[in-house]
């Protein structure tokens, strides 16, 4: 998605052209990883996009400050809790900026997932400014400021400087020819960002967006490009590999050739990440409205078989190629989930885990669409399975015949048989959940494909597994429903969905599955 309005209507105020020799600030020996990295020729891609150099070198960038008004950014686009924190710090005499992905999203006219504030104030000063504020994190401490029920993250320039090299400011002055401390301080912070499109800095009071790294140009070209050399960047923080996937999926951007090359060739590094970090990144991918695109990219770059081997094995069995544009039931389920979610309207992680388990159960044993429909209705009604079966018998809508997970329904399927098959599906889903959280079963998933990397990664914690299991606890044969309550109304309450409220989660689960199996325009291909 190329944004034609960016950069063409902007009135830019250019600093003198300066060569940013920031690659030399992060020279790293590749050691054992070097053997797995192929050389990319210098030059240009077929579409005329400049190709990054793989070897450590220099990148010429023009430092720019652009009018936020010309970029289409107004104060009303900033969330009220964020504005309160900005005003609180500014009134104390501190410099404040919005940084990171929120600036990118504002330029793209997208609703940011959250707003990150960077300030000249020390973190202790931030704590003194707000009544409900705490410092969190040891390695990279930041402030959590609570405004009502909302949380705003605030970081400090001083923390950023401590995390960079001690002689950074001197080197930046030498490489840029600048004596401006403010430029050097801002640039120093931007150079610690992951991608150029996240390296923008917005002063909402001066109404200026600072672009030191060519981020605006990469937004225009719809490109995800690392700030420093991609191989170095991903070795410094291998979570950036997953963030590259997430950002490209959410924005519909392509990765630069260099970035894509190292995402693929260094994908094995994600195994070094803490399991909690992997869960967080996967939740960002699957719970915020870009799950289908994220799964496609994870598969394309060979990461799915490391993180979700069970789902990767399904794609292999179904003959799904790395760059396949066609769909299947797994992708269709998440495409329908995406229609209901957005960066500011996410779901609880238990929902997408439940969808993965449901699909695995069907992939292992295909079933009649009527069985699936009755199960969904039982989940939605919080366990009134007898009513669910009665309603199912009246369904006349055609199911999607292209899914290999569905078999043709039997004629005159009797009530008791349908009831038994629904309960059997319920058992299969819970068994699938068990397998998804058992390293032994995960490692077996790709055993038939020796070319795939070995993985027995379990990143779903016990508490989350139990929460996903409780979504289906209401499906019982007994007439007594153990106090389960069904959701009232059809409108999604997104606050409840994010908190993992069970009636809300069950409602959305049933809606996603039913719309996938019984779409308005079903495929009649066999």
């Amino acid at each position: 998605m190329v944004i034609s309005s960016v950069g063409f209507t902007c009135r830019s105020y250019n600093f003198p052209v300066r060569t940013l020799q920031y690659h030399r600030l992060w020279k790293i020996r590749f050691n054992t990883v070097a053997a797995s990295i192929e050389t990319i020729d210098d030059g240009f891609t077929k579409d005329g996009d400049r190709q990054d150099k793989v070897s450590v070198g220099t990148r010429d960038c023009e430092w720019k400050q652009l009018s936020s008004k010309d970029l289409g950014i107004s104060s009303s686009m900033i969330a009220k809790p964020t504005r309160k924190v900005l005003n609180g710090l500014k009134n104390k005499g501190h410099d404040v900026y919005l940084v990171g992905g929120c600036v990118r999203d504002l330029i793209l006219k997208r609703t940011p997932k959250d707003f990150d504030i960077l300030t000249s104030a020390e973190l202790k000063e931030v704590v003194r400014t707000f009544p409900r504020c705490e410092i969190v994190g040891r390695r990279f401490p930041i402030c959590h400021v609570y405004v009502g029920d909302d949380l705003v993250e605030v970081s400090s320039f001083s923390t950023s400087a401590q995390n960079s090299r001690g002689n950074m400011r001197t080197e930046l002055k030498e490489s840029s020819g600048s004596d401006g401390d403010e430029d050097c301080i801002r640039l120093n912070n931007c150079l610690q960002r992951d991608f150029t499109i996240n390296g923008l800095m917005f002063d909402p009071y001066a109404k200026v967006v600072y672009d030191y790294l060519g981020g605006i140009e990469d937004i225009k070209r719809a490109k995800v490009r690392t700030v420093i050399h991609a191989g170095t960047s991903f070795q410094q923080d291998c979570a950036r590999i997953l963030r590259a996937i997430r950002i490209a999926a959410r924005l519909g951007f392509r990765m630069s050739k260099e970035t894509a090359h190292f995402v693929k060739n260094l994908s094995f590094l994600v195994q070094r990440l803490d399991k909690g970090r992997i869960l967080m990144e996967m939740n960002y991918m699957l719970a915020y409205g870009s799950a289908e695109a994220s799964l496609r990219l994870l598969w394309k770059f060979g990461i799915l078989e490391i993180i979700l081997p069970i789902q990767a094995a399904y794609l292999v069995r179904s003959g799904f190629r790395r760059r396949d544009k066609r769909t299947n039931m797994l992708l269709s389920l998440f495409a329908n989930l995406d229609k209901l979610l957005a960066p500011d309207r996410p779901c609880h992680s238990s929902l997408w885990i439940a969808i993965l388990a449901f699909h695995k159960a069907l992939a292992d044993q295909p079933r009649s669409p009527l069985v699936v429909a009755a199960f969904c209705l039982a989940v939605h009604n919080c366990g009134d399975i007898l009513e669910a079966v009665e309603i199912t018998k009246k369904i006349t809508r055609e199911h999607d015949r292209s899914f290999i997970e569905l078999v043709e329904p039997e004629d005159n399927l009797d009530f008791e048989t349908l009831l038994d098959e629904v309960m059997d599906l319920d058992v299969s889903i819970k068994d699938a959940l068990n397998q998804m959280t058992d390293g032994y079963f995960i490692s077996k998933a790709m055993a038939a494909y020796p070319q795939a990397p070995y993985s027995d990664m379990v990143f779903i914690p016990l508490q989350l597994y139990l929460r996903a299991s409780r979504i289906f606890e209401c499906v019982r044969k007994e007439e007594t429903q153990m106090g389960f309550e069904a959701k009232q109304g059809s409108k999604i309450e997104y606050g409840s969905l994010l908190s993992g409220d069970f009636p809300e989660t069950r409602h959305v689960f049933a809606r996603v599955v039913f719309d996938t199996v019984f779409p308005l325009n079903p495929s009649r291909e066999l």
Side-chain angles (χ1 to χ4, degrees):
M1 176 178 62
V2 179
I3 309 302
S4 58
S5 63
V6 176
F8 297 100
T9 61
C10 296
R11 182 174 68 255
S12 61
Y13 305 91
N14 297 342
F15 291 99
V17 177
R18 317 170 188 194
T19 301
L20 304 182
Q21 300 188 26
Y22 50 81
H23 283 317
R24 70 183 177 84
L25 304 181
W26 279 280
K27 289 184 179 179
I28 289 183
R29 295 185 181 275
F30 281 89
N31 297 328
T32 57
V33 178
S36 67
I37 299 176
E38 301 173 0
T39 302
I40 301 176
D41 294 333
D42 295 337
F44 294 82
T45 58
K46 291 182 180 179
D47 60 1
D49 183 26
R50 184 173 68 82
Q51 181 177 311
D52 295 341
K53 294 181 180 180
V54 173
S55 59
V56 176
T58 62
R59 232 179 243 165
D60 292 333
C61 280
E62 197 173 64
W63 293 10
K64 296 180 180 179
Q65 52 178 337
L66 303 107
S67 164
S68 61
K69 181 179 180 181
D70 288 344
L71 288 170
I73 303 176
S74 63
S75 298
S76 62
M77 298 166 69
I78 303 172
K80 287 184 178 180
T82 304
R83 293 206 300 266
K84 288 185 178 180
V85 176
L86 288 168
N87 290 334
L89 291 169
K90 190 68 175 177
N91 290 337
K92 291 287 186 178
H94 304 298
D95 294 330
V96 285
Y97 301 88
L98 291 177
V99 294
C102 66
V103 183
R104 172 203 71 210
D105 289 344
L106 291 175
I107 293 172
L108 289 169
K109 308 300 183 293
R110 289 173 169 265
T111 302
K113 178 174 66 67
D114 48 34
F115 291 86
D116 292 327
I117 295 175
L118 179 65
T119 180
S120 60
E122 299 282 344
L123 293 183
K124 292 181 179 179
E125 293 177 288
V126 178
V127 171
R128 288 194 292 267
T129 303
F130 302 100
R132 297 176 60 206
C133 179
E134 61 178 347
I135 299 175
V136 299
R138 293 183 179 179
R139 187 179 178 189
F140 300 106
I142 61 173
C143 277
H144 280 176
V145 181
Y146 296 91
V147 181
D149 295 331
D150 297 290
L151 170 66
V152 180
E153 291 189 353
V154 180
S155 57
S156 170
F157 274 116
S158 62
T159 304
S160 172
Q162 292 169 9
N163 291 325
S164 64
R165 288 174 47 171
N167 59 346
M168 176 69 74
R169 181 176 298 185
T170 300
E171 294 195 24
L172 288 173
K173 285 183 178 180
E174 292 175 354
S175 63
S176 66
S178 169
D179 292 325
D181 276 352
E182 289 186 2
D183 272 337
C184 287
I185 291 171
R186 285 192 292 260
L187 176 57
N188 178 27
N189 183 271
C190 291
L191 288 174
Q192 296 176 57
R193 303 283 164 180
D194 45 12
F195 305 103
T196 58
I197 58 177
N198 290 344
L200 301 167
M201 196 172 292
F202 171 37
D203 184 337
Y205 297 95
K207 300 189 183 305
V208 169
V209 172
Y210 295 92
D211 179 16
Y212 297 101
L213 309 175
I216 296 290
E217 185 66 22
D218 282 337
I219 289 176
K220 285 165 51 181
R221 295 185 176 188
K223 281 294 181 71
V224 178
R225 189 190 309 274
T226 54
V227 169
I228 61 174
H229 181 274
T232 305
S233 180
F234 295 151
Q235 286 194 99
Q236 286 183 349
D237 182 0
C238 49
R240 290 173 177 171
I241 295 172
L242 297 180
R243 287 205 294 273
I245 296 285
R246 184 227 305 172
I247 293 170
R250 182 173 295 174
L251 301 180
F253 281 19
R254 293 177 298 146
M255 297 182 201
S256 71
K257 192 169 184 179
E258 176 195 284
T259 302
H261 175 84
F262 285 102
V263 165
K264 181 177 181 179
N265 285 276
L266 298 181
S267 60
F268 65 92
L269 291 178
V270 301
Q271 296 176 88
R272 301 178 183 177
L273 287 171
D274 177 81
K275 303 300 172 56
R277 184 63 178 276
I278 291 176
L279 174 62
M280 182 185 74
E281 292 294 340
M282 289 302 296
N283 192 56
Y284 284 151
M285 290 188 203
L286 302 183
Y288 285 77
S290 56
E292 182 198 10
S294 296
L295 289 172
R296 286 182 180 274
L297 288 179
L298 288 170
W299 173 241
K300 175 182 176 180
F301 286 100
I303 303 173
L304 195 68
E305 48 263 55
I306 298 173
I307 296 179
L308 293 173
I310 290 174
Q311 285 66 40
Y314 160 77
L315 294 179
V316 173
R317 289 196 307 271
S318 59
F320 202 76
R321 298 184 297 274
R322 295 290 180 183
R323 297 177 181 270
D324 239 325
K325 294 184 179 180
R326 60 193 172 101
T327 192
N328 53 44
M329 191 174 190
L330 175 65
L331 295 175
S332 294
L333 284 165
F334 281 98
N336 281 315
L337 178 64
D338 289 340
K339 293 176 184 178
L340 305 178
L341 304 179
D344 61 332
R345 299 195 306 273
C347 67
H348 191 270
S349 51
S350 60
L351 176 56
W352 57 261
I353 290 171
I355 292 174
L356 289 175
F358 164 80
H359 177 264
K360 173 172 168 50
L362 274 189
D364 290 344
Q365 183 181 344
R367 298 175 187 271
S368 165
L370 295 180
V371 173
V372 176
F375 178 80
C376 286
L377 289 170
V379 171
H380 182 270
N381 295 339
C382 281
D384 194 343
I385 192 169
L386 301 180
E387 180 187 50
V389 172
E390 287 290 347
I391 296 174
T392 299
K393 300 285 284 184
K394 300 176 183 178
I395 292 176
T396 58
R397 188 191 294 186
E398 287 285 333
H399 68 278
D400 194 318
R401 298 174 183 272
S402 68
F403 296 146
I404 59 176
E405 294 87 347
L406 300 177
V407 298
E408 288 302 308
E410 299 178 20
D411 294 332
N412 300 319
L413 187 64
D414 66 86
F415 185 92
E416 285 299 324
T417 301
L418 182 54
L419 186 62
D420 289 341
E421 291 196 23
V422 169
M423 295 310 303
D424 187 62
L425 174 57
D426 178 63
V427 172
S428 296
I429 293 173
K430 291 172 181 175
D431 183 57
L433 268 173
N434 282 326
Q435 292 187 36
M436 286 169 50
T437 52
D438 188 316
Y440 171 73
F441 288 102
I442 290 176
S443 65
K444 285 182 63 179
M446 298 295 289
Y449 315 105
Q451 71 277 13
Y454 172 83
S455 176
D456 59 355
M457 181 183 295
V458 177
F459 64 85
I460 301 172
L462 176 62
Q463 184 178 9
L464 188 53
Y465 155 75
L466 293 174
R467 192 172 192 88
S469 298
R470 286 187 61 190
I471 294 173
F472 308 112
E473 279 185 359
C474 61
V475 180
R476 298 171 180 268
K477 261 190 174 182
E478 297 84 0
E479 293 186 8
T480 304
Q481 299 307 320
M482 306 291 289
F484 294 111
E485 295 182 5
K487 173 183 168 61
Q488 302 300 313
S490 60
K491 183 179 179 181
I492 298 175
E493 299 294 336
Y494 284 97
S496 299
L497 185 63
L498 177 58
S499 67
D501 175 73
F502 287 110
E504 198 71 49
T505 302
R506 292 181 181 120
H507 166 73
V508 175
F509 171 86
R511 185 168 165 179
V512 167
V513 173
F514 192 88
D515 288 347
T516 301
V517 176
F518 296 95
L520 291 177
N521 298 303
S523 170
R524 297 182 181 275
E525 298 179 3
L526 296 178

